[in-house]
Amino acid sequence: MTVARVRVLVVDDEPAMCRAIERVLVKDNYEVRSVNTGEAAVELLEREQFEILLADLRMPGMDGLTLVERVLALDPSLVAVVLTGYPALDTAVEAVKRGAYNYIPKPFTPNELRSVVQRACEHRKLQVEARELREARAEERARLLAVLESMHDGVVVVDQETRVVLYNQAATTLLAPGAAPGQPLDAVVRDPVLTRLAGAALAGRALAGGEEIRLEGRTYLAMASSVRDHERSWGAVLNARDVTPLYHLARLRANLVAAVSHELRSPLAAIEGYLDVILDRPDVDADCRRMLERCRTRARGLQRTIVSLLDISRLDDRRRERALIETGPALAAEVEAWRGAAERAGVKLEFFLSPGLPHVLANEADFSCLVGNLVDNAIKYNRPDGRVEVKVWPEPGYVVMVVEDTGMGIASEDLPHIFEEFYRVRNQDTALIDGSGLGLALVRKVAETYRCRLEVDSQPGLGTTFTVRWPVPG
Amino acid sequence: MHKGRILIIDDDSDFVEINRMALEAAGYQISAAYNGREGLGKIQAEKPDLILLDVMMTTVTEGLDLAYELREKEEYRGIPIFLITSMTSAPEFPQSFTYVLGRDWPVTKYFDKPVKPAQIVAAVGEVLAK
């Protein structure tokens, strides 16, 4: 391996001095060139690369001071050392001020020369390394900024005090015009939800799923996470994605489901109505009556399916109102609403309420949808003289609601699927039970919406227990 | 001998037919109108004992407009009216009707579609038996 030798340019109007220096340095393995005028040195430096310049200060034509200035302008990384041939310390100091690294007063010994040139070499090495590091850092930062700028998502970074650290081009739509780093986030955001998200992330509470915000007719999904560096958090990063097309699509779907459902309901109500009238007549023979009754049952089932479909599309709307619900009375009312159905099915419906229940935060219709579907199933898939127990009690952070039945139970191979839309357990026991296949899908959807924990435990032939842990606010 | 004359005003022909059959089977004489204007004509011509009125027909205010007309003439005052609403009609409809007809209108009942024909027959029987 050959190591590139350090190249030294010697400039002195005395050829003897040049040769003397050359002899010393070549022996130390430097590559040395020498010229006798400043003009010749500049010309050579314009063509060739040198690391170190040794320049006599007093020369005819271009003097050493001017030469140092000229060559440092050509190549700032060149290390210049001046040789002072007579006691002109002022000029040497001036040369250092203008960028020369050091000076050697003449006469000097070979060792003095070696020592200065060696130090000049080290100086040069350090300088190069520092510059390379600086350049690498600047390049890395520029790359990161370029990546940030090219993102479609708006990104805003804040520090521990929720002050803006930086933001990208896409984030300008989220901030007030002219928002600058250092300003408090709440003073520059156009939607306070962003400040809330950032606050939650800084407090270590990441809000899964993010929040929707609407600005100037566009919809953004905003999320925040804390920025960690060696396990220490120094801020939070907010990102907001423009989900307007997705949002429109979801709205379209919900509207379509609603429109189709309404269109289906009226003809179905008519069918049911005609059947009611026919079945109210005494002159319908027994066979026909049985078949028509079956028709009516199926029509009613279809009505319920449509209502469930409407409920499901309603749950997709994130803007629905939520209120604090008194858990005990709300649950009692919902259970009471099913008492008639339980009696008709010959099932005993019991309700056990613990004192000291906290409120839950929910849309009332969602709460009753979840409870109602569980109770409805517990009655429907029960046995005559069976029992349904609804129990509720508080647990730290949760209200626990349990719906337990003494019904046919669910086979283990069906259990993983029962919360899927339109999944129905098909067997001899369920053949005559009208179900939409949407009840438990709705239960799951409500549970997901409110981050409830939903568990099911079932023993075929003995019964099924659904447990819902509904989170309590605060 | 029929038990009473009932006018059904609804643009939903199925609703009209279902309730016509149910009420006829229960011994009432039925006539039907499919919009507000036609309904008013039949009220004038037939002097029904009871009216089943859908609040929302082709136009949203058609039922309400009819209520205004009824209030104007002394001879119509006191005809029991059953108002039929549905989940697509605005929730403030019942109040609007109470406001238009006045609180002292003898009988106003509200039914939300879908409503069982048997329920209507029972309610009609209750009102007309008096």
Side-chain angles (χ1 to χ4, degrees):
Chain A
M1 192 178 82
T2 57
V3 178
R5 289 187 295 165
V6 176
R7 303 193 72 203
V8 182
L9 177 61
V10 182
V11 192
D12 199 308
D13 56 336
E14 289 174 57
M17 175 58 84
C18 288
R19 281 196 299 278
I21 292 174
E22 264 185 62
R23 268 200 304 278
V24 174
L25 294 182
V26 166
K27 221 187 276 176
D28 282 3
N29 206 26
Y30 291 96
E31 187 182 331
V32 187
R33 294 279 295 278
S34 48
V35 290
N36 300 113
T37 64
E39 288 82 356
V42 170
E43 202 193 319
L44 189 58
L45 277 164
E46 276 170 351
R47 284 184 281 119
E48 291 180 35
Q49 171 92 38
F50 288 88
E51 279 82 45
I52 291 168
L53 172 77
L54 295 177
D56 189 14
L57 267 183
R58 203 180 57 137
M59 289 183 291
M62 189 188 291
D63 63 12
L65 212 54
T66 314
L67 173 65
V68 165
E69 269 189 327
R70 290 279 303 275
V71 300
L72 285 180
L74 279 176
D75 177 6
S77 67
L78 188 72
V79 180
V81 175
V82 293
L83 314 168
T84 53
Y86 57 98
L89 208 57
D90 287 354
T91 327
V93 169
E94 183 61 28
V96 170
K97 271 190 195 157
R98 295 198 193 175
Y101 163 65
N102 210 341
Y103 61 88
I104 312 176
K106 284 182 189 173
F108 47 81
T109 63
N111 276 342
E112 281 169 338
L113 176 66
R114 281 195 190 100
S115 155
V116 170
V117 171
Q118 201 182 335
R119 271 188 284 135
C121 268
E122 276 157 20
H123 175 72
R124 150 110 194 165
K125 209 173 128 198
L126 283 175
Q127 240 185 351
V128 168
E129 274 174 13
R131 198 191 57 222
E132 279 171 0
L133 271 174
R134 254 195 325 272
E135 280 171 4
R137 261 185 59 182
E139 195 183 341
E140 194 184 305
R141 189 178 156 78
R143 270 194 195 179
L144 276 177
L145 287 177
V147 168
L148 217 54
E149 285 302 306
S150 341
M151 283 174 68
H152 292 295
D153 289 10
V155 176
V156 183
V157 180
V158 296
D159 64 14
Q160 204 66 34
E161 274 74 49
T162 335
R163 283 185 306 250
V164 176
V165 175
L166 61 88
Y167 63 87
N168 66 356
Q169 177 64 34
T172 50
T173 47
L174 310 171
L175 303 175
Q183 287 179 293
L185 183 65
D186 59 353
V188 295
V189 283
R190 296 175 64 197
D191 192 315
V193 166
L194 291 172
T195 315
R196 194 154 53 77
L197 280 170
L202 287 173
R205 285 180 285 113
L207 301 179
E211 296 258 358
E212 268 177 23
I213 54 176
R214 256 170 286 279
L215 286 170
E216 287 172 14
R218 310 219 42 101
T219 305
Y220 299 88
L221 181 62
M223 293 187 219
S225 44
S226 109
V227 179
R228 296 194 156 274
D229 208 353
H230 304 298
E231 288 310 300
R232 195 178 58 89
S233 161
W234 58 260
V237 56
L238 276 165
N239 79 300
R241 170 165 299 179
D242 188 339
V243 292
T244 313
L246 275 179
Y247 177 77
H248 281 318
L249 220 60
R251 280 281 295 276
L252 202 68
R253 191 183 86 123
N255 288 344
L256 188 73
V257 170
V260 168
S261 303
H262 286 306
E263 287 306 308
L264 291 175
R265 287 192 79 182
S266 353
L268 205 50
I271 293 171
E272 213 185 312
Y274 285 116
L275 289 169
D276 282 341
V277 176
I278 298 170
L279 286 165
D280 280 343
R281 290 191 170 171
D283 54 349
V284 182
D285 80 56
D287 273 352
C288 284
R289 179 170 294 277
R290 235 190 347 269
M291 289 186 282
L292 289 171
E293 266 167 1
R294 193 71 196 134
C295 284
R296 186 164 65 175
T297 310
R298 301 297 277 164
R300 283 177 186 161
L302 203 47
Q303 282 282 13
R304 281 195 300 274
T305 305
I306 293 167
V307 171
S308 300
L309 266 177
L310 275 170
D311 284 343
I312 283 190
S313 73
R314 190 173 51 84
L315 275 164
D316 286 331
D317 186 352
R318 299 168 71 111
R319 295 162 303 168
R320 279 180 358 279
E321 274 181 31
R322 292 181 182 191
L324 280 177
I325 293 178
E326 280 189 80
T327 317
L331 206 54
E334 191 57 40
V335 172
E336 274 324 297
W338 290 96
R339 187 148 317 274
E343 274 165 19
R344 279 194 295 281
V347 169
K348 195 171 175 201
L349 179 59
E350 289 181 293
F351 181 45
F352 301 96
L353 178 71
S354 286
L357 282 176
H359 289 52
V360 292
L361 187 63
N363 178 290
E364 224 172 297
D366 295 349
F367 183 83
S368 94
C369 168
L370 177 134
V371 177
N373 273 297
L374 289 178
V375 175
D376 181 24
N377 277 355
I379 295 168
K380 254 186 342 205
Y381 296 97
N382 219 308
R383 56 176 162 78
D385 297 321
R387 233 177 42 249
V388 173
E389 287 183 8
V390 180
K391 294 179 245 185
V392 56
W393 66 86
E395 227 179 60
Y398 295 97
V399 166
V400 188
M401 297 184 280
V402 167
V403 179
E404 200 175 332
D405 67 53
T406 56
M408 57 191 71
I410 304 160
S412 55
E413 64 262 30
D414 289 318
L415 263 184
H417 305 289
I418 55 171
F419 294 108
E420 291 168 12
E421 286 173 22
F422 297 110
Y423 185 86
R424 289 204 62 209
V425 175
R426 308 271 177 197
N427 58 37
Q428 216 174 0
D429 296 330
T430 66
L432 284 173
I433 296 173
D434 281 298
S436 60
L438 285 172
L440 287 178
L442 266 168
V443 168
R444 189 203 65 201
K445 202 136 184 179
V446 173
E448 280 172 359
T449 305
Y450 295 93
R451 309 191 200 298
C452 304
R453 281 164 56 197
L454 181 60
E455 279 163 35
V456 55
D457 182 35
S458 188
Q459 282 181 289
L462 290 177
T464 305
T465 305
F466 285 93
T467 307
V468 180
R469 284 188 167 75
W470 199 301
V472 170
Chain B
M1 182 57 203
H2 63 79
K3 297 204 280 192
R5 233 193 311 268
I6 296 169
L7 174 62
I8 306 176
I9 310 172
D10 196 329
D11 62 345
D12 174 354
S13 56
D14 287 316
F15 183 84
V16 172
E17 284 318 304
I18 287 163
N19 288 287
R20 179 207 295 278
M21 290 188 295
L23 289 164
E24 275 175 357
Y28 299 96
Q29 192 179 57
I30 307 301
S31 62
Y34 297 92
N35 60 53
R37 190 104 326 262
E38 204 186 334
L40 190 65
K42 294 225 165 156
I43 292 170
Q44 285 164 344
E46 298 172 7
K47 309 262 181 319
D49 299 310
L50 190 143
I51 303 170
L52 286 187
L53 172 63
D54 186 359
V55 295
M56 207 176 95
M57 288 178 277
T58 319
T59 63
V60 178
T61 57
E62 213 166 313
L64 209 57
D65 290 343
L66 189 66
Y68 271 105
E69 303 265 3
L70 293 181
R71 190 183 63 175
E72 292 307 304
K73 291 238 170 69
E74 191 57 41
E75 52 184 304
Y76 302 142
R77 189 157 275 279
I79 302 179
I81 301 181
F82 288 5
L83 293 165
I84 315 296
T85 56
S86 68
M87 64 181 290
T88 45
S89 54
E92 63 271 15
F93 259 120
Q95 275 145 308
S96 314
F97 269 89
T98 309
Y99 174 77
V100 171
L101 293 172
R103 290 196 179 283
D104 51 343
W105 195 274
V107 184
T108 0
K109 278 187 187 292
Y110 298 93
F111 292 94
D112 214 17
K113 271 187 190 173
V115 52
K116 299 228 147 297
Q119 257 175 288
I120 302 249
V121 172
V124 167
E126 218 172 276
V127 169
L128 290 189
K130 283 174 190 168

